[in-house]
Structures are given as C-alpha cells and as structure tokens.
Amino acid sequence: MLHLHHHSPLVSRHGAVCPPTRLACSCICNKANSRITAAQSTNNNANLLLLRGWSSTRRRITTVASGQSVPGYTPDDGDQCLETGNKISFTTVKDAVISLNSVGVRSELILLALPAVLGQAIDPMAQLMETAYIGRLGALELASAGIGISIFNIVSKIFNIPLLSIATSFVAEDISRSATKHPSSGKLELTSVSSALILAAGIGIMEALALFLGSGLFLKLMGVSPVSPMHRPAKLFLSLRALGAPANVLMLAVQGIFRGFKDTKTPVFYIGLGNLSAVALLPLLIYGFQLGITGAAISTVVSQYIITVLLLRSLSKKAVLLPPGIDQLEFGGYLKSGGMLLGRTLSILLTMTIGTSMAARQGPTAMAAHQICLQVWLAVSLLADSLAVSAQALIASSYAILDYKRVQKITMFALQIGVFSGLALAIGLYASFGNIARLFTSDPEVLMVVKSCALFVCASQPINALAFIFDGLLYGVSDFDYVAQATIAVGVTSSLVLLWAPSIFGLAGVWAGLTTLMGLRMAAGILRLLWKSGPWSFLHEEP
C-alpha cells in the first residue's frame, strides 16, 4: 500500500511516475502494470488511498476499494485509471467493518458522551449559582459582576477553546502512534501533553497580566466610563478574577488531555469537587464576611485552583508532565491547527462582546436584566451543544469509511432532534421564565426589563439548537474552512445589527442582534448542505 501526499506524483517501485490527481489518489500506471506480476496487480488494484484534508496540518487517510466512486473526485487528463477487473466489493468490506465494530463504537461514544455532557453543564451551572448569589445584593452589584464575568470569559476563551480541541486530537494521536513509557516510572512520555501544559501555563499568565493591568481599558471598551457607578466594583471584581486565569487555562487544557486518553469521567469528578468548594465559599464570603462581589470573585478563583491541582495530580499518575528537554516540545502543531479555530472563536466572541457593550450602555438595570437573560440563554444551549458533539463524533466515524447512507441518516435524525428539543425548550422557558428570573433578583425594575426580553430568549431556542447541530455536522466532515469563513461573515452582519438596533429598541435591540447571529449561523449550515459540491455532495447524488 502506497501513501501519497496531496498533489505529489506517484512513483512506482519500477520508476514509472503517475501524474498527480486533484484529490491525490494513487493510481497504477499502465506502464508499471505491465512490469509487475498479476498477483501484485490484483493487490494494488484492490486499494486506493484517498487523502482528505483534516485541517491545515492534519490529514485523514481512508482506504477505498477500486471501483468505488468518491464525491468530488474527477480524474485528471493524465490519470491512468484502474482496470475494472478483479474488483473487490467496497460494500462487502465496509459492511464487514461496521458489523465488527459498530456495537463497540456506539457503546464507547455513549460512555464518553454522557460524562462530557455533565462536564459541560457544571461550569454554566456554577456561573448561574454565582449570578444568583450576587443578584440578591442588588442591581448595581449584579451589573458590575456581569461586566467583569463577560470580559473574563471573552479574553480567556479566545485561546482556551482551540487549545481544548487541539489537545484532545494531538494526545489521542500520540497515544496510538508514538507512546513511550518512562524507563523508571513507567508513565507515558507524550510530547503533546507537555507541550499543551506549558503552552496553557504561558497563555494563562499572559491573560492574567492583561486582565489585571488592563481592567480599566477593558471596562472602557465595554462602555463603562470611570464616572459610572459600575466602574469601581467591576474593576475590582475583574482584577481579582484575573488571578484565576492561569488555573482556568490549565484546567481546560488538562480536560482536553484527558479526553485524548478517552477519559471523560475523571475531569467531571474533580470539577464537581472544585465547584462544591465554591458552593460553600460563596455564601460564606459574600454574606458571612460581607465581602459582596469581592467574595464571589475570591470563591471562584479558589475553586479554579483546587480543580487544576486535582486534575494535574491525577494526570501525573498517567503521564510525565514535563519533558526532559525543551527541544522535545512541539508548539508548531498547536499554533498552526489553532489558527483556523481561532478565527471562528474571535468572530463569535467579538459579536457577543458588542452585545454586552450595547447592553451596558442602557444602564445598570438593563445590564442586570441582560446578564440574567444571557446566563439562562447559555445554560439551556447545553443540550443542543451536547447533541452537536454526539452528531459530530458519529458522522466523523461514518464519513471516514465513506458510509454516506449512515451519515445522511445521522444528519437527518440530529436535525429532527434539534427541532423538537428546541421547541420543547422554548415552551418550557416561556412557561417558567418569570420564576427563573426571580431566582436571580427580586428587583421589580430588573424583572420588568427581563420580561421584555424573555420572548427573544424563548423563541430563539429552536434556532439555537439547529445552529449548534449544524456546527457539529460540518465539523464531522472536517469542513473547517467553510465554518470559519461563514462564521466571520455572520459575525460581521450580526455586529452591524447590534450596533444599530439598541439605539432604537433598547435592550430588545440587543437581543434582536443575538437572535440574528444564531439565525444566520443556522442559515449558513442549511446553505452548506444544499450545495451540490463539496463534502456534502453525496446528499444530491441519484440513488
């Protein structure tokens, strides 16, 4: 079996050179076929290597039997096509692989997905709990903390989200390809683990310095001037939360590493323990020691360091955390692979930042109401996000073996579940939103503003669900280029709405802009599936 690089010619063992094809498929030249034995010819004709772009620095290799058509592949004029004789049935081979592995794969996906969903829910629930405690202090305190939390999340997640995803892939590859054990301790020595940890520590320190030293500048960019009553408490809150940035980045990186080990239970366990400490510290520091939002910030930072220490201690039992030499670190792969995801993350975060900034300019009452609506909006989106992650994993495993019928079934089923779950969430939120809002504040003015925005939060749930699921579908077929480009275009359009609508409609205009963001993301996903070219072309082929 011959392995080829994209657009590189195939050089046979006898020196015959085949011209490159558009998808870098290997072929057997007529001249080479005349020089090799019939047995060798049959063996070579049984396999084609199709290279599909996984990302800018990664490739996925799929073995395809001869005679199987590949969507998007058209032989170039110089290609020497394979002979049609001695075909091996692709369907037979594919069905055999599925019958042997489908049960194990499904079980593994379910076992990995369930703890991951719980892990995704813990952090937003912790933020909801923090918001609820702060909300009882008053509208000014809630608005000030809301600004600080938004700034912290924006700055920290710019690099955290790509690092989390990339660490998972790199560690999984290292384990399967080049895992070695330390001669004395017997622990795994993985350059991907050490590189991720050192990179996370460096990013965390830079984030902490930026947030601590630039807190005033960030508040100004968010529309909070020094004369605003929110400025002083928000600056203090943000400065304290900045101290937890290194722990926060390391915590997410270690979660990605554990996922690479196919272990999603350990992170959930320790994240749960850390957040239990926050449950105890929040009321004690906020009300017992009367520290207000300062106590809330301290509680969160302490819990972040507790989680990070516990995760690193557990990881140290499996792998060597630091390499013997700096020359063994591999930062290049992380930086290159993260570029594409970074653009998408920046686009979404920038749009959300503009929304928060426009809400802050409406005053403390409007900002407090916006913070409540935003936290609820993000929390209920977890169900759709978990569906997207599951669909992505299922589609990736089927698409790798070109099982397009199964990909189509997964796609349609995921979209149906997205619609039904979105409608159910919309109805449930509409019926209970008033009671949910009272968990955060008892201020009648804030509750009145929350009520005016509740319709957007509830009605957008089906749109949100489909937007998340479409992201999962596109990631499943490695359509990263389209996702990045579409998200940037969507972000620009939504930002224009956010800059214009609040001046006319107030806080409702902010939520109209956020709904536009999710609606355009959903539309971009629909458009991609309707294209008759690209990775989804098989949806439009005649049966």
Side-chain angles (χ1 to χ4, degrees), residues 130 152 240-245 247-248 251 270-271 273-282 284-285 291 294-310:
E130 182 184 19
F152 181 87
L240 290 172
R241 285 293 300 269
L243 300 178
N248 187 54
M251 177 177 63
Y270 289 123
I271 291 172
L273 287 180
N275 280 281
L276 283 177
S277 67
V279 171
L281 289 173
L282 277 170
L284 179 64
L285 296 181
L291 295 178
T294 300
I298 295 173
S299 301
T300 302
V301 171
V302 170
S303 68
Q304 287 173 335
Y305 276 99
I306 290 175
I307 295 171
T308 303
V309 170
L310 292 175

Side-chain angles (χ1 to χ4, degrees), residues 474-499:
L474 298 179
Y475 278 131
V477 298
S478 304
D479 204 2
F480 298 119
D481 284 334
Y482 176 81
V483 173
Q485 295 169 9
T487 304
I488 292 173
V490 165
V492 171
T493 305
S494 303
S495 297
L496 293 176
V497 175
L498 284 168
L499 291 172

Side-chain angles (χ1 to χ4, degrees), residues 365-366 368-370 372-373 429-430 432-438 441 443-459 507-508 511:
T365 301
H370 175 74
I372 293 173
C373 292
L429 277 178
Y430 185 77
S432 59
F433 204 89
N435 294 328
I436 294 175
R438 291 187 184 92
T441 183
D443 191 313
E445 294 184 2
V446 175
L447 291 174
M448 185 64 66
V449 179
V450 168
K451 186 178 180 180
S452 67
C453 298
L455 182 61
F456 287 100
V457 178
C458 299
L507 189 60
W511 280 94

Side-chain angles (χ1 to χ4, degrees), residues 161-241:
I161 294 176
L163 182 60
L164 172 65
S165 303
I166 296 168
T168 301
S169 300
F170 280 18
V171 171
E173 284 189 357
D174 261 6
I175 292 174
S176 60
R177 293 180 181 178
S178 57
T180 58
K181 290 187 176 182
H182 192 272
S184 59
S185 65
K187 301 176 184 178
L188 290 177
E189 289 185 324
L190 303 170
T191 57
S192 57
V193 171
S194 303
S195 301
L197 292 177
I198 294 177
L199 190 61
I203 292 174
I205 292 173
M206 289 189 292
E207 288 181 4
L209 291 174
L211 289 168
F212 187 85
L213 299 177
S215 57
L217 177 60
F218 284 120
L219 289 172
K220 185 177 181 180
L221 292 174
M222 295 292 284
V224 181
S225 65
V227 298
S228 171
M230 293 186 291
H231 187 272
R232 185 174 179 276
K235 184 176 181 180
L236 177 60
F237 182 87
L238 180 58
S239 299
L240 290 172
R241 285 293 300 269

Side-chain angles (χ1 to χ4, degrees), residues 1 12 41 46 93 108 122 162 191 211 244 322 363 457 468 484-485 493 513:
M1 187 173 290
S12 73
S41 177
V93 175
E108 186 177 15
I122 289 178
T191 57
L211 289 168
L322 297 177
V457 178
F468 279 112
Q485 295 169 9
T493 305

Side-chain angles (χ1 to χ4, degrees), residues 48-294:
L48 278 172
L49 288 179
L50 172 64
L51 293 177
R52 292 188 177 273
W54 182 261
S55 70
S56 59
T57 60
R58 303 164 68 80
R59 293 187 179 95
R60 178 168 56 193
I61 300 177
T62 305
T63 302
V64 185
S66 63
Q68 174 69 15
S69 62
V70 180
Y73 167 67
T74 304
D76 293 338
D77 294 337
D79 286 350
Q80 301 293 335
C81 298
L82 291 172
E83 297 177 1
T84 57
N86 298 324
K87 291 183 180 178
I88 293 179
S89 172
F90 177 78
T91 304
T92 302
V93 175
K94 182 179 66 179
D95 291 343
V97 173
I98 293 175
S99 64
L100 288 173
N101 297 312
S102 60
V103 176
V105 169
R106 290 173 184 172
S107 300
E108 186 177 15
L109 285 174
I110 292 173
L111 292 175
L112 290 175
L114 291 177
V117 171
L118 181 59
Q120 284 183 319
I122 289 178
D123 185 60
M125 293 303 295
Q127 289 195 15
L128 281 173
M129 180 180 61
E130 182 184 19
T131 304
Y133 277 119
I134 295 173
R136 297 189 175 275
L137 295 174
L140 177 62
E141 288 79 3
L142 180 59
S144 302
I147 287 287
I149 292 172
S150 297
I151 295 174
F152 181 87
N153 289 340
I154 290 166
V155 174
S156 63
K157 289 182 180 179
I158 288 176
F159 296 101
N160 296 3
I161 294 176
L163 182 60
L164 172 65
S165 303
I166 296 168
T168 301
S169 300
F170 280 18
V171 171
E173 284 189 357
D174 261 6
I175 292 174
S176 60
R177 293 180 181 178
S178 57
T180 58
K181 290 187 176 182
H182 192 272
S184 59
S185 65
K187 301 176 184 178
L188 290 177
E189 289 185 324
L190 303 170
T191 57
S192 57
V193 171
S194 303
S195 301
L197 292 177
I198 294 177
L199 190 61
I203 292 174
I205 292 173
M206 289 189 292
E207 288 181 4
L209 291 174
L211 289 168
F212 187 85
L213 299 177
S215 57
L217 177 60
F218 284 120
L219 289 172
K220 185 177 181 180
L221 292 174
M222 295 292 284
V224 181
S225 65
V227 298
S228 171
M230 293 186 291
H231 187 272
R232 185 174 179 276
K235 184 176 181 180
L236 177 60
F237 182 87
L238 180 58
S239 299
L240 290 172
R241 285 293 300 269
L243 300 178
N248 187 54
V249 182
L250 274 170
M251 177 177 63
L252 289 174
V254 176
Q255 287 183 59
I257 292 171
F258 271 108
R259 291 179 186 179
F261 277 95
K262 296 184 178 181
D263 180 3
T264 54
K265 296 180 181 179
T266 300
V268 171
F269 177 72
Y270 289 123
I271 291 172
L273 287 180
N275 280 281
L276 283 177
S277 67
V279 171
L281 289 173
L282 277 170
L284 179 64
L285 296 181
I286 292 176
Y287 305 126
F289 289 93
Q290 297 183 349
L291 295 178
I293 63 173
T294 300

